[in-house]
Amino acid sequence: MALKELQIRNIRPTDRVTQCTDDRGLYLEVHPNGSKLWRYKYRYMGKQKRLALGRYPDVGLAEARKRRDDARRQLEAGTDPLAERKHEKLVAVFKSANTFGEIAKEYIDKQVAQGQADTTTQKANWLLEQLEPIAARPVADLKPIDLLAALKRIEAKGKHETARRCRSFAGRVFRYAVATGRGESDPSSILRGALVVPKVKHHAAILDPKQMGELLRAIDAYSGHAITRLAMQVSPHVMARPGELRMAEWSEFDLEKAVWKIPAERMKMRRPHEVPLSRQVLAYLDELFALTGPDGYVFPAFHTSRRPLSENTVNQSFRRMGYAVGEVTAHGLRTTASTLLNESGKWSPDAIERSLAHADANSIRGVYNRGRYWDERVAMHQWWSDYLDEMRENAPTDQPDKIRARA
């Protein structure tokens, strides 16, 4: 006889477990401590099984019958309800252990193990911090709207470039999750066009030879720390990225052969890079050697030799010298070199690009060209240093034909 709600409320426990049968395999299991538990008894593949359906009164009679009927439908479809329940629990545990944040950290650690630069790792961790709203969510449950909401939150603060970079970073994490069997898709891929496209901001650079000459004279007259002055003096000559220069170590320099060998892990493109050293650079390094050599960082921090010069030191020095943010930056000195070297017409674009350590758009050609143009680059770096001296001394005109005439 089917149970009734009033009858269930009036059931009193005994000194042993008792069962009160409802209908079609559903029954209420009453324990001596007063617990009343719904159970569904069924047979699957010839074996007797039972499925827990909840605790009374949290699960009432009507809800218990509904859960029993759901289980019966699974049986009719050829599925074992108990096995399906265990599978769902395993999936839930698996998802909770594979949040976006956890997988992102694993992805970053993997990149570090493969030689990712420290600065790139720091940026990746910072991007992960910006995506904090989705960090605790199972990666397999995240939908495009969830990621978009997190990105719009960043965009609302006016950080359009940060939002774009976060979308790109999230895409790499999602694809890593898919590749390792913990994700199903990359929801970032369909968000292209959903964010404000930031205006491209080029690094401020001086392209007028006369103004460049004035900057070089201002650097020579800099009254601040000698290491900072020398960092500013060397930068225009070597065409390196600011991070590559400030983290340079004495062990990377072969002063006799006049070459600076930068290891792959410090390069943006993850390839080792060699820089020819002109006579002027060797003279600066000779002065530096007396201050910071022979071991450790060439440009150490002021308070400790165990850390390199701060990434903001050179740019802050430019500001103190009276140059505004939009006039010149340490990175912009690479643009100055690239522009004036190309305008000279004396050097092949490939040699200039190799000295700037830019990646070749054609990967096969890039590998083939890695060892080429060395002799031309040696001559070009000396020419460039001589031209910098001339700009300092004479402040020549900015007309391209005059530049070519000098060559």
PDB file of all heavy atoms in Angstrom, residues 236-266:
ATOM      1  N   PRO A 236      71.449  53.516 -27.145  1.00  0.00           N
ATOM      2  CA  PRO A 236      71.257  53.830 -28.569  1.00  0.00           C
ATOM      3  C   PRO A 236      72.159  53.019 -29.493  1.00  0.00           C
ATOM      4  O   PRO A 236      71.796  52.771 -30.647  1.00  0.00           O
ATOM      5  CB  PRO A 236      71.612  55.323 -28.643  1.00  0.00           C
ATOM      6  CG  PRO A 236      71.547  55.825 -27.245  1.00  0.00           C
ATOM      7  CD  PRO A 236      71.935  54.681 -26.392  1.00  0.00           C
ATOM      8  N   HIS A 237      73.310  52.587 -29.001  1.00  0.00           N
ATOM      9  CA  HIS A 237      74.293  51.899 -29.848  1.00  0.00           C
ATOM     10  C   HIS A 237      73.944  50.429 -30.100  1.00  0.00           C
ATOM     11  O   HIS A 237      74.128  49.943 -31.213  1.00  0.00           O
ATOM     12  CB  HIS A 237      75.684  51.968 -29.196  1.00  0.00           C
ATOM     13  CG  HIS A 237      76.243  53.346 -29.120  1.00  0.00           C
ATOM     14  ND1 HIS A 237      77.103  53.863 -30.068  1.00  0.00           N
ATOM     15  CD2 HIS A 237      76.063  54.326 -28.196  1.00  0.00           C
ATOM     16  CE1 HIS A 237      77.433  55.104 -29.744  1.00  0.00           C
ATOM     17  NE2 HIS A 237      76.819  55.414 -28.603  1.00  0.00           N
ATOM     18  N   VAL A 238      73.455  49.731 -29.070  1.00  0.00           N
ATOM     19  CA  VAL A 238      73.295  48.274 -29.186  1.00  0.00           C
ATOM     20  C   VAL A 238      71.932  47.840 -29.722  1.00  0.00           C
ATOM     21  O   VAL A 238      71.753  46.681 -30.082  1.00  0.00           O
ATOM     22  CB  VAL A 238      73.563  47.591 -27.828  1.00  0.00           C
ATOM     23  CG1 VAL A 238      75.015  47.776 -27.421  1.00  0.00           C
ATOM     24  CG2 VAL A 238      72.625  48.124 -26.740  1.00  0.00           C
ATOM     25  N   MET A 239      70.949  48.762 -29.739  1.00  0.00           N
ATOM     26  CA  MET A 239      69.614  48.489 -30.317  1.00  0.00           C
ATOM     27  C   MET A 239      68.858  47.386 -29.587  1.00  0.00           C
ATOM     28  O   MET A 239      67.924  46.797 -30.135  1.00  0.00           O
ATOM     29  CB  MET A 239      69.723  48.115 -31.802  1.00  0.00           C
ATOM     30  CG  MET A 239      70.555  49.046 -32.643  1.00  0.00           C
ATOM     31  SD  MET A 239      70.640  48.498 -34.365  1.00  0.00           S
ATOM     32  CE  MET A 239      72.155  49.289 -34.894  1.00  0.00           C
ATOM     33  N   ALA A 240      69.248  47.053 -28.375  1.00  0.00           N
ATOM     34  CA  ALA A 240      68.587  45.982 -27.624  1.00  0.00           C
ATOM     35  C   ALA A 240      67.325  46.499 -26.935  1.00  0.00           C
ATOM     36  O   ALA A 240      67.171  47.705 -26.724  1.00  0.00           O
ATOM     37  CB  ALA A 240      69.547  45.411 -26.570  1.00  0.00           C
ATOM     38  N   ARG A 241      66.437  45.594 -26.617  1.00  0.00           N
ATOM     39  CA  ARG A 241      65.266  45.959 -25.823  1.00  0.00           C
ATOM     40  C   ARG A 241      65.733  46.340 -24.419  1.00  0.00           C
ATOM     41  O   ARG A 241      66.713  45.796 -23.915  1.00  0.00           O
ATOM     42  CB  ARG A 241      64.273  44.801 -25.763  1.00  0.00           C
ATOM     43  CG  ARG A 241      63.696  44.419 -27.130  1.00  0.00           C
ATOM     44  CD  ARG A 241      62.748  43.238 -27.037  1.00  0.00           C
ATOM     45  NE  ARG A 241      62.182  42.915 -28.348  1.00  0.00           N
ATOM     46  CZ  ARG A 241      62.764  42.103 -29.232  1.00  0.00           C
ATOM     47  NH1 ARG A 241      63.924  41.532 -28.935  1.00  0.00           N
ATOM     48  NH2 ARG A 241      62.202  41.867 -30.406  1.00  0.00           N
ATOM     49  N   PRO A 242      65.030  47.259 -23.761  1.00  0.00           N
ATOM     50  CA  PRO A 242      65.460  47.712 -22.429  1.00  0.00           C
ATOM     51  C   PRO A 242      65.676  46.570 -21.446  1.00  0.00           C
ATOM     52  O   PRO A 242      66.655  46.571 -20.696  1.00  0.00           O
ATOM     53  CB  PRO A 242      64.317  48.635 -21.988  1.00  0.00           C
ATOM     54  CG  PRO A 242      63.754  49.163 -23.267  1.00  0.00           C
ATOM     55  CD  PRO A 242      63.855  48.023 -24.235  1.00  0.00           C
ATOM     56  N   GLY A 243      64.790  45.579 -21.456  1.00  0.00           N
ATOM     57  CA  GLY A 243      64.931  44.459 -20.526  1.00  0.00           C
ATOM     58  C   GLY A 243      66.147  43.608 -20.818  1.00  0.00           C
ATOM     59  O   GLY A 243      66.788  43.077 -19.904  1.00  0.00           O
ATOM     60  N   GLU A 244      66.477  43.472 -22.096  1.00  0.00           N
ATOM     61  CA  GLU A 244      67.654  42.691 -22.476  1.00  0.00           C
ATOM     62  C   GLU A 244      68.936  43.383 -22.007  1.00  0.00           C
ATOM     63  O   GLU A 244      69.890  42.721 -21.583  1.00  0.00           O
ATOM     64  CB  GLU A 244      67.675  42.505 -23.996  1.00  0.00           C
ATOM     65  CG  GLU A 244      66.510  41.658 -24.519  1.00  0.00           C
ATOM     66  CD  GLU A 244      66.237  41.856 -26.004  1.00  0.00           C
ATOM     67  OE1 GLU A 244      66.994  42.596 -26.659  1.00  0.00           O
ATOM     68  OE2 GLU A 244      65.256  41.282 -26.496  1.00  0.00           O
ATOM     69  N   LEU A 245      68.946  44.717 -22.072  1.00  0.00           N
ATOM     70  CA  LEU A 245      70.144  45.461 -21.686  1.00  0.00           C
ATOM     71  C   LEU A 245      70.308  45.530 -20.174  1.00  0.00           C
ATOM     72  O   LEU A 245      71.382  45.251 -19.646  1.00  0.00           O
ATOM     73  CB  LEU A 245      70.093  46.874 -22.269  1.00  0.00           C
ATOM     74  CG  LEU A 245      71.322  47.736 -21.973  1.00  0.00           C
ATOM     75  CD1 LEU A 245      72.564  47.135 -22.632  1.00  0.00           C
ATOM     76  CD2 LEU A 245      71.109  49.176 -22.471  1.00  0.00           C
ATOM     77  N   ARG A 246      69.249  45.881 -19.462  1.00  0.00           N
ATOM     78  CA  ARG A 246      69.400  46.082 -18.012  1.00  0.00           C
ATOM     79  C   ARG A 246      69.696  44.776 -17.279  1.00  0.00           C
ATOM     80  O   ARG A 246      70.259  44.785 -16.192  1.00  0.00           O
ATOM     81  CB  ARG A 246      68.159  46.753 -17.426  1.00  0.00           C
ATOM     82  CG  ARG A 246      66.918  45.893 -17.364  1.00  0.00           C
ATOM     83  CD  ARG A 246      65.718  46.664 -16.845  1.00  0.00           C
ATOM     84  NE  ARG A 246      64.560  45.794 -16.705  1.00  0.00           N
ATOM     85  CZ  ARG A 246      64.314  45.050 -15.650  1.00  0.00           C
ATOM     86  NH1 ARG A 246      65.146  45.052 -14.623  1.00  0.00           N
ATOM     87  NH2 ARG A 246      63.243  44.276 -15.602  1.00  0.00           N
ATOM     88  N   MET A 247      69.341  43.627 -17.875  1.00  0.00           N
ATOM     89  CA  MET A 247      69.611  42.339 -17.239  1.00  0.00           C
ATOM     90  C   MET A 247      70.879  41.670 -17.777  1.00  0.00           C
ATOM     91  O   MET A 247      71.164  40.520 -17.466  1.00  0.00           O
ATOM     92  CB  MET A 247      68.409  41.410 -17.420  1.00  0.00           C
ATOM     93  CG  MET A 247      67.137  41.933 -16.759  1.00  0.00           C
ATOM     94  SD  MET A 247      65.752  40.780 -16.858  1.00  0.00           S
ATOM     95  CE  MET A 247      66.287  39.543 -15.684  1.00  0.00           C
ATOM     96  N   ALA A 248      71.650  42.419 -18.571  1.00  0.00           N
ATOM     97  CA  ALA A 248      72.895  41.878 -19.129  1.00  0.00           C
ATOM     98  C   ALA A 248      73.872  41.528 -18.008  1.00  0.00           C
ATOM     99  O   ALA A 248      73.964  42.234 -17.003  1.00  0.00           O
ATOM    100  CB  ALA A 248      73.525  42.900 -20.072  1.00  0.00           C
ATOM    101  N   GLU A 249      74.604  40.432 -18.197  1.00  0.00           N
ATOM    102  CA  GLU A 249      75.616  40.000 -17.231  1.00  0.00           C
ATOM    103  C   GLU A 249      76.982  40.007 -17.901  1.00  0.00           C
ATOM    104  O   GLU A 249      77.112  39.792 -19.112  1.00  0.00           O
ATOM    105  CB  GLU A 249      75.273  38.606 -16.700  1.00  0.00           C
ATOM    106  CG  GLU A 249      73.936  38.547 -15.957  1.00  0.00           C
ATOM    107  CD  GLU A 249      73.658  37.181 -15.354  1.00  0.00           C
ATOM    108  OE1 GLU A 249      74.636  36.427 -15.144  1.00  0.00           O
ATOM    109  OE2 GLU A 249      72.481  36.875 -15.104  1.00  0.00           O
ATOM    110  N   TRP A 250      78.011  40.221 -17.100  1.00  0.00           N
ATOM    111  CA  TRP A 250      79.368  40.308 -17.643  1.00  0.00           C
ATOM    112  C   TRP A 250      79.793  39.024 -18.355  1.00  0.00           C
ATOM    113  O   TRP A 250      80.583  39.067 -19.312  1.00  0.00           O
ATOM    114  CB  TRP A 250      80.359  40.642 -16.528  1.00  0.00           C
ATOM    115  CG  TRP A 250      80.343  42.092 -16.150  1.00  0.00           C
ATOM    116  CD1 TRP A 250      79.892  42.645 -14.987  1.00  0.00           C
ATOM    117  CD2 TRP A 250      80.778  43.183 -16.963  1.00  0.00           C
ATOM    118  NE1 TRP A 250      80.011  44.007 -15.013  1.00  0.00           N
ATOM    119  CE2 TRP A 250      80.565  44.369 -16.228  1.00  0.00           C
ATOM    120  CE3 TRP A 250      81.335  43.287 -18.241  1.00  0.00           C
ATOM    121  CZ2 TRP A 250      80.891  45.629 -16.719  1.00  0.00           C
ATOM    122  CZ3 TRP A 250      81.647  44.549 -18.730  1.00  0.00           C
ATOM    123  CH2 TRP A 250      81.428  45.703 -17.981  1.00  0.00           C
ATOM    124  N   SER A 251      79.265  37.895 -17.918  1.00  0.00           N
ATOM    125  CA  SER A 251      79.629  36.618 -18.530  1.00  0.00           C
ATOM    126  C   SER A 251      79.181  36.515 -19.987  1.00  0.00           C
ATOM    127  O   SER A 251      79.663  35.661 -20.733  1.00  0.00           O
ATOM    128  CB  SER A 251      79.033  35.459 -17.729  1.00  0.00           C
ATOM    129  OG  SER A 251      77.615  35.552 -17.688  1.00  0.00           O
ATOM    130  N   GLU A 252      78.248  37.384 -20.408  1.00  0.00           N
ATOM    131  CA  GLU A 252      77.725  37.340 -21.776  1.00  0.00           C
ATOM    132  C   GLU A 252      78.614  38.113 -22.769  1.00  0.00           C
ATOM    133  O   GLU A 252      78.411  38.006 -23.981  1.00  0.00           O
ATOM    134  CB  GLU A 252      76.308  37.923 -21.806  1.00  0.00           C
ATOM    135  CG  GLU A 252      75.324  37.157 -20.939  1.00  0.00           C
ATOM    136  CD  GLU A 252      74.023  37.906 -20.710  1.00  0.00           C
ATOM    137  OE1 GLU A 252      73.856  39.007 -21.286  1.00  0.00           O
ATOM    138  OE2 GLU A 252      73.190  37.412 -19.941  1.00  0.00           O
ATOM    139  N   PHE A 253      79.569  38.865 -22.243  1.00  0.00           N
ATOM    140  CA  PHE A 253      80.373  39.741 -23.100  1.00  0.00           C
ATOM    141  C   PHE A 253      81.749  39.141 -23.371  1.00  0.00           C
ATOM    142  O   PHE A 253      82.450  38.716 -22.459  1.00  0.00           O
ATOM    143  CB  PHE A 253      80.540  41.116 -22.450  1.00  0.00           C
ATOM    144  CG  PHE A 253      79.281  41.938 -22.458  1.00  0.00           C
ATOM    145  CD1 PHE A 253      78.307  41.757 -21.485  1.00  0.00           C
ATOM    146  CD2 PHE A 253      79.063  42.875 -23.455  1.00  0.00           C
ATOM    147  CE1 PHE A 253      77.147  42.510 -21.494  1.00  0.00           C
ATOM    148  CE2 PHE A 253      77.901  43.631 -23.479  1.00  0.00           C
ATOM    149  CZ  PHE A 253      76.937  43.446 -22.493  1.00  0.00           C
ATOM    150  N   ASP A 254      82.088  39.097 -24.648  1.00  0.00           N
ATOM    151  CA  ASP A 254      83.445  38.747 -25.062  1.00  0.00           C
ATOM    152  C   ASP A 254      84.053  40.038 -25.597  1.00  0.00           C
ATOM    153  O   ASP A 254      83.868  40.407 -26.765  1.00  0.00           O
ATOM    154  CB  ASP A 254      83.414  37.666 -26.143  1.00  0.00           C
ATOM    155  CG  ASP A 254      84.804  37.148 -26.489  1.00  0.00           C
ATOM    156  OD1 ASP A 254      85.782  37.923 -26.335  1.00  0.00           O
ATOM    157  OD2 ASP A 254      84.913  35.990 -26.927  1.00  0.00           O
ATOM    158  N   LEU A 255      84.772  40.750 -24.722  1.00  0.00           N
ATOM    159  CA  LEU A 255      85.288  42.066 -25.093  1.00  0.00           C
ATOM    160  C   LEU A 255      86.407  41.972 -26.114  1.00  0.00           C
ATOM    161  O   LEU A 255      86.603  42.893 -26.911  1.00  0.00           O
ATOM    162  CB  LEU A 255      85.753  42.799 -23.831  1.00  0.00           C
ATOM    163  CG  LEU A 255      84.653  43.025 -22.775  1.00  0.00           C
ATOM    164  CD1 LEU A 255      85.211  43.783 -21.582  1.00  0.00           C
ATOM    165  CD2 LEU A 255      83.469  43.773 -23.375  1.00  0.00           C
ATOM    166  N   GLU A 256      87.128  40.866 -26.114  1.00  0.00           N
ATOM    167  CA  GLU A 256      88.211  40.706 -27.092  1.00  0.00           C
ATOM    168  C   GLU A 256      87.660  40.536 -28.499  1.00  0.00           C
ATOM    169  O   GLU A 256      88.194  41.084 -29.463  1.00  0.00           O
ATOM    170  CB  GLU A 256      89.078  39.500 -26.726  1.00  0.00           C
ATOM    171  CG  GLU A 256      89.924  39.708 -25.465  1.00  0.00           C
ATOM    172  CD  GLU A 256      90.885  38.557 -25.230  1.00  0.00           C
ATOM    173  OE1 GLU A 256      90.942  37.644 -26.090  1.00  0.00           O
ATOM    174  OE2 GLU A 256      91.560  38.565 -24.198  1.00  0.00           O
ATOM    175  N   LYS A 257      86.570  39.768 -28.618  1.00  0.00           N
ATOM    176  CA  LYS A 257      85.962  39.552 -29.931  1.00  0.00           C
ATOM    177  C   LYS A 257      84.884  40.590 -30.235  1.00  0.00           C
ATOM    178  O   LYS A 257      84.260  40.551 -31.301  1.00  0.00           O
ATOM    179  CB  LYS A 257      85.360  38.146 -30.001  1.00  0.00           C
ATOM    180  CG  LYS A 257      86.410  37.038 -29.942  1.00  0.00           C
ATOM    181  CD  LYS A 257      85.758  35.675 -30.090  1.00  0.00           C
ATOM    182  CE  LYS A 257      86.812  34.556 -30.071  1.00  0.00           C
ATOM    183  NZ  LYS A 257      86.198  33.219 -30.189  1.00  0.00           N
ATOM    184  N   ALA A 258      84.640  41.482 -29.272  1.00  0.00           N
ATOM    185  CA  ALA A 258      83.673  42.574 -29.442  1.00  0.00           C
ATOM    186  C   ALA A 258      82.274  42.044 -29.787  1.00  0.00           C
ATOM    187  O   ALA A 258      81.669  42.438 -30.786  1.00  0.00           O
ATOM    188  CB  ALA A 258      84.149  43.558 -30.503  1.00  0.00           C
ATOM    189  N   VAL A 259      81.762  41.150 -28.935  1.00  0.00           N
ATOM    190  CA  VAL A 259      80.426  40.607 -29.156  1.00  0.00           C
ATOM    191  C   VAL A 259      79.718  40.385 -27.814  1.00  0.00           C
ATOM    192  O   VAL A 259      80.345  40.011 -26.821  1.00  0.00           O
ATOM    193  CB  VAL A 259      80.492  39.278 -29.953  1.00  0.00           C
ATOM    194  CG1 VAL A 259      81.295  38.223 -29.191  1.00  0.00           C
ATOM    195  CG2 VAL A 259      79.091  38.758 -30.264  1.00  0.00           C
ATOM    196  N   TRP A 260      78.440  40.652 -27.822  1.00  0.00           N
ATOM    197  CA  TRP A 260      77.582  40.419 -26.658  1.00  0.00           C
ATOM    198  C   TRP A 260      76.616  39.299 -27.046  1.00  0.00           C
ATOM    199  O   TRP A 260      75.831  39.439 -27.971  1.00  0.00           O
ATOM    200  CB  TRP A 260      76.836  41.700 -26.302  1.00  0.00           C
ATOM    201  CG  TRP A 260      75.760  41.552 -25.262  1.00  0.00           C
ATOM    202  CD1 TRP A 260      75.648  40.607 -24.287  1.00  0.00           C
ATOM    203  CD2 TRP A 260      74.625  42.415 -25.113  1.00  0.00           C
ATOM    204  NE1 TRP A 260      74.530  40.816 -23.526  1.00  0.00           N
ATOM    205  CE2 TRP A 260      73.879  41.926 -24.001  1.00  0.00           C
ATOM    206  CE3 TRP A 260      74.169  43.558 -25.779  1.00  0.00           C
ATOM    207  CZ2 TRP A 260      72.694  42.534 -23.579  1.00  0.00           C
ATOM    208  CZ3 TRP A 260      72.995  44.166 -25.345  1.00  0.00           C
ATOM    209  CH2 TRP A 260      72.268  43.659 -24.255  1.00  0.00           C
ATOM    210  N   LYS A 261      76.677  38.171 -26.330  1.00  0.00           N
ATOM    211  CA  LYS A 261      75.840  37.012 -26.621  1.00  0.00           C
ATOM    212  C   LYS A 261      74.714  36.924 -25.597  1.00  0.00           C
ATOM    213  O   LYS A 261      74.949  36.586 -24.433  1.00  0.00           O
ATOM    214  CB  LYS A 261      76.681  35.733 -26.609  1.00  0.00           C
ATOM    215  CG  LYS A 261      77.780  35.725 -27.666  1.00  0.00           C
ATOM    216  CD  LYS A 261      78.591  34.437 -27.613  1.00  0.00           C
ATOM    217  CE  LYS A 261      79.688  34.427 -28.681  1.00  0.00           C
ATOM    218  NZ  LYS A 261      80.465  33.173 -28.651  1.00  0.00           N
ATOM    219  N   ILE A 262      73.487  37.215 -26.042  1.00  0.00           N
ATOM    220  CA  ILE A 262      72.325  37.202 -25.150  1.00  0.00           C
ATOM    221  C   ILE A 262      71.681  35.818 -25.222  1.00  0.00           C
ATOM    222  O   ILE A 262      71.330  35.353 -26.313  1.00  0.00           O
ATOM    223  CB  ILE A 262      71.301  38.270 -25.552  1.00  0.00           C
ATOM    224  CG1 ILE A 262      71.986  39.631 -25.736  1.00  0.00           C
ATOM    225  CG2 ILE A 262      70.201  38.371 -24.493  1.00  0.00           C
ATOM    226  CD1 ILE A 262      71.057  40.722 -26.230  1.00  0.00           C
ATOM    227  N   PRO A 263      71.501  35.130 -24.097  1.00  0.00           N
ATOM    228  CA  PRO A 263      70.900  33.789 -24.120  1.00  0.00           C
ATOM    229  C   PRO A 263      69.439  33.821 -24.530  1.00  0.00           C
ATOM    230  O   PRO A 263      68.748  34.838 -24.354  1.00  0.00           O
ATOM    231  CB  PRO A 263      71.072  33.301 -22.681  1.00  0.00           C
ATOM    232  CG  PRO A 263      71.185  34.542 -21.859  1.00  0.00           C
ATOM    233  CD  PRO A 263      71.884  35.550 -22.725  1.00  0.00           C
ATOM    234  N   ALA A 264      68.962  32.708 -25.067  1.00  0.00           N
ATOM    235  CA  ALA A 264      67.594  32.627 -25.603  1.00  0.00           C
ATOM    236  C   ALA A 264      66.529  32.943 -24.560  1.00  0.00           C
ATOM    237  O   ALA A 264      65.509  33.566 -24.878  1.00  0.00           O
ATOM    238  CB  ALA A 264      67.356  31.226 -26.183  1.00  0.00           C
ATOM    239  N   GLU A 265      66.753  32.518 -23.299  1.00  0.00           N
ATOM    240  CA  GLU A 265      65.706  32.700 -22.291  1.00  0.00           C
ATOM    241  C   GLU A 265      65.416  34.163 -21.983  1.00  0.00           C
ATOM    242  O   GLU A 265      64.381  34.485 -21.408  1.00  0.00           O
ATOM    243  CB  GLU A 265      66.061  31.956 -20.999  1.00  0.00           C
ATOM    244  CG  GLU A 265      67.377  32.354 -20.363  1.00  0.00           C
ATOM    245  CD  GLU A 265      68.524  31.476 -20.810  1.00  0.00           C
ATOM    246  OE1 GLU A 265      68.410  30.845 -21.886  1.00  0.00           O
ATOM    247  OE2 GLU A 265      69.538  31.404 -20.082  1.00  0.00           O
ATOM    248  N   ARG A 266      66.340  35.058 -22.365  1.00  0.00           N
ATOM    249  CA  ARG A 266      66.103  36.475 -22.106  1.00  0.00           C
ATOM    250  C   ARG A 266      65.560  37.204 -23.328  1.00  0.00           C
ATOM    251  O   ARG A 266      65.202  38.379 -23.239  1.00  0.00           O
ATOM    252  CB  ARG A 266      67.401  37.148 -21.645  1.00  0.00           C
ATOM    253  CG  ARG A 266      67.759  36.877 -20.194  1.00  0.00           C
ATOM    254  CD  ARG A 266      68.074  38.153 -19.445  1.00  0.00           C
ATOM    255  NE  ARG A 266      68.822  39.125 -20.220  1.00  0.00           N
ATOM    256  CZ  ARG A 266      70.130  39.064 -20.466  1.00  0.00           C
ATOM    257  NH1 ARG A 266      70.835  38.068 -19.976  1.00  0.00           N
ATOM    258  NH2 ARG A 266      70.722  39.982 -21.184  1.00  0.00           N
TER     259      ARG A 266
END
